[in-house]
Amino acid sequence: MANVENLKLRLEQRYSHFNFISQIKAEELTLEVPKENLRPLCIVLRDDPELKFEQLMDVAGVDYFQHGVSEWETVQASTTGFERGVQRENFINPPISAKKNRFAVVYHLLSITHNHRIALRVFVGEEPLFVDSLVDVWSSANWNEREAYDLFGIIFENHPDLRRILTDYGFIGHPFRKDFPLIGDVEARFDAAQGRVIYEAVSIEPRTLVPKVIRTDHCEGQEKNG
Amino acid sequence: MAEIRNFTMNFGPQHPSAHGVLRLVLEMEGEVIIKSDPHIGLLHRATEKLAESKPYNQSIGYMDRLDYVSMMCNEHAYVMAIEKLLQVTPPLRAQYIRSMFDEITRILNHLLWLGSHAIDIGAMSVFLYAFREREELIDCYEAVSGSRMHATYYRPGGVKSDLPDNMPQYQASRWRNKKELKKLNANRQGSLLDFIWDFTERFPKHIDEYETLLTDNRIWKQRTVGIGVVTPERALQLGFSGPMLRGSGIAWDLRRKQAYAAYEYLNFDIPVGLNGDCYDRYLVRIEELRQSNHIIRQCVDWLKQNPGPVNINDHKIVPPRRVEMKESMESLIHHFKLFTEGYCIPEGECYAAVEHPKGEFAIYLISDGANKPYRLKIRAPSFNHLASLDEMTKGHMLADLVAVLSSQDIVFGEVDR
């Protein structure tokens, strides 16, 4: 793989007017791009002969709603355990992350000519969530953006065919948002009396079997924060 | 005068050549396709959402169920993502085992593809031959993991256990006499590696058999040559990868270009097509079968000569051995913590891609420092390939749609996730 440091330098020298923040972690280059500069930057990334990102591999919606929030505080805990029974409150009023921007879209680009990758992260801002569509830059954005729309409710402006893709016909809500319950809202069953499949509110209770804990003293090779 | 309208037709979701649960809404003008609109999501199980509610190791099994004909390759991308964030490297022997099983998986996948592609187009017997060979490879899966399909064999930090010294054998039963049993078990007398070696000795001849049936077959060529042509430029635009991209003439293979596991030490060629039609994609995959066979032989050779550990020696990530657990308190605690809580991954994100039999399969993993993934995005090759179906089939006949669809090698576990 080509050197990501060089790629980062080249981008910063030539295209700093797009106001992106670049970061290298684990040999992967990620640019945090302001929403309005996304489309022009993508066209440049595709067409610059030294960059040549011909392929858009992936579009991932991300919901930072509960980023960094754990379900079980373990730093001081010594006498408290984690209740594995049904606890509705945890699901109705979940603790919220301190992050300002809730939704982001992450694009993964690949250059076959130069054999390098890059990731672009765009924070979408407040609802309604709008971001420019990239279908006219890379055709592969089509279904990927439909998926992000379906699962996160992010609206891609000027998308030719922004329909739901993975969820059921007539589905309500955006299931991959962190405040959408894992068990869903409705369940389907066949009703013999009416002779058709009907939807009802879910009957199962949500529960957490393994609490989400955040430890900083746990793994080797990790910076110890004390 | 009667009004002339296009005909709208429903194809699937229950259709033998829909490769699972694909619903296509086709707009037809006579027998010519004007527009095809795939409706997917009938097998959507929210794997990515489920993974967010489980410790990392508990989701490995879900990866098997994505592309359920190339199980271990899916696991590979997932464990690679975890290892990247944990900054651990599995021992070289584990890397070779992974490469070998990736290639076994590739053969498994391509054989299933070959069989179903042929059966879609109307050749019955290839299917039966392909399944004859698949059986032996699935036995290899069973020998290492105990499961014939959903192996959960790759683990962060290595693989579940080392390769077995004895190949499991067929047992005597009412339906098999001694002579038959002896014949069945003839190549199962040694270790798993001996068994795989024996398979690779025979397999090239089997590929020749498939080729005899198909490659120069007039009907086969009539059905596939010039059907579903994708130019290299469009292939890049549409996000193609794997055999679909190589079929269009672009020599791109992650095993070579962004080598992972033991691929940098292994020798193989990257086949490419010329025209980007169904026939070229068929030829590319057939050649990949031969190349995979070649890679497996190199791995077997290396693995026979180089015994060693198959896991890293960090019991925060890899469970300690049973014996240690009985004797050491530390090990007991490690085991308990690992299976009740798992391990925490430092905050960060990464994109780990492997050359999956179908294309670039990647895991985009975001961790917020917890014992569960914060967000797991699965980049499934089939998803992008299926998205291009409309473009590939426009102007073709209905029967060609089936040829194009099966030449894309679609599996719905992965498209719908």
Side-chain angles (χ1 to χ4, degrees), chain A residues 28 55 61 63 210 215 219, chain B residues 240 341 344 372 374-375:
Chain A
E28 287 177 24
Q55 278 196 299
D63 178 3
V210 181
R215 291 181 194 277
C219 290
Chain B
F240 279 15
E341 186 183 292
C344 292
K372 305 172 182 180
Y374 184 75
R375 166 94 169 103

Side-chain angles (χ1 to χ4, degrees), chain A residues 1 25-26 28 30 46 54-69 71-72 74 84 97 99 106 108 110-113 115-117 119 121 135-144 146-147 151-152 161 163 165-169 174-182 208-222, chain B residues 23 35 37-42 44 46-50 52-55 58 84-88 234-241 245 250-252 254 257-258 313-314 316-317 337 339-353 360 362 364 366-379 383-384 386-387 391 415-417:
Chain A
M1 258 223 252
K25 244 186 175 178
E28 287 177 24
T30 308
R46 184 192 63 183
E54 300 109 335
Q55 278 196 299
L56 172 69
M57 296 315 277
D58 194 17
V59 178
V62 186
D63 178 3
Y64 283 101
F65 194 47
Q66 287 168 314
H67 191 266
V69 178
E71 289 164 328
W72 188 27
T74 55
R84 281 178 176 74
S97 169
K99 287 220 175 206
V106 182
H108 289 277
L110 169 68
S111 164
I112 282 187
T113 322
N115 191 10
H116 50 211
R117 287 180 192 277
R121 189 199 321 275
V135 176
D136 52 345
V137 188
W138 291 286
S139 307
S140 57
N142 189 335
W143 274 28
N144 284 303
R146 275 178 70 184
E147 186 192 318
L151 302 178
F152 289 93
D161 182 26
R163 285 176 293 156
I165 185 163
L166 287 174
T167 51
D168 200 357
Y169 303 113
H174 297 289
F176 277 29
R177 290 188 174 188
K178 287 280 176 177
D179 48 3
F180 190 94
L182 182 67
T208 308
L209 292 177
V210 181
K212 177 181 170 191
V213 295
I214 296 179
R215 291 181 194 277
T216 49
D217 59 342
H218 191 72
C219 290
E220 277 179 346
Q222 185 182 341
Chain B
R23 182 181 170 211
K35 188 173 171 252
D37 179 20
H39 286 210
I40 63 166
L42 287 106
H44 179 59
T47 307
E48 297 163 2
K49 179 106 176 166
L50 281 170
E52 287 170 11
S53 70
K54 290 181 171 49
Q58 291 184 17
K84 218 167 166 181
L85 282 180
L86 282 172
Q87 297 173 5
V88 298
R234 286 308 295 164
L236 289 172
Q237 266 282 317
L238 290 163
F240 279 15
S241 50
L245 190 61
I250 294 170
W252 177 260
L254 291 177
K257 305 283 179 177
Q258 299 176 5
N313 192 22
D314 179 356
K316 304 266 193 238
I317 299 162
K337 283 308 271 184
F339 284 96
T340 52
E341 186 183 292
Y343 44 82
C344 292
I345 288 187
E347 187 177 341
E349 54 182 64
C350 78
Y351 182 85
E360 176 177 320
Y364 174 53
I366 301 179
S367 163
D368 59 346
N371 56 340
K372 305 172 182 180
Y374 184 75
R375 166 94 169 103
L376 181 77
K377 174 73 173 67
I378 298 154
R379 194 268 173 201
F383 184 77
N384 286 281
L386 188 63
E391 186 175 322
V415 174
D416 292 344
R417 281 159 288 155

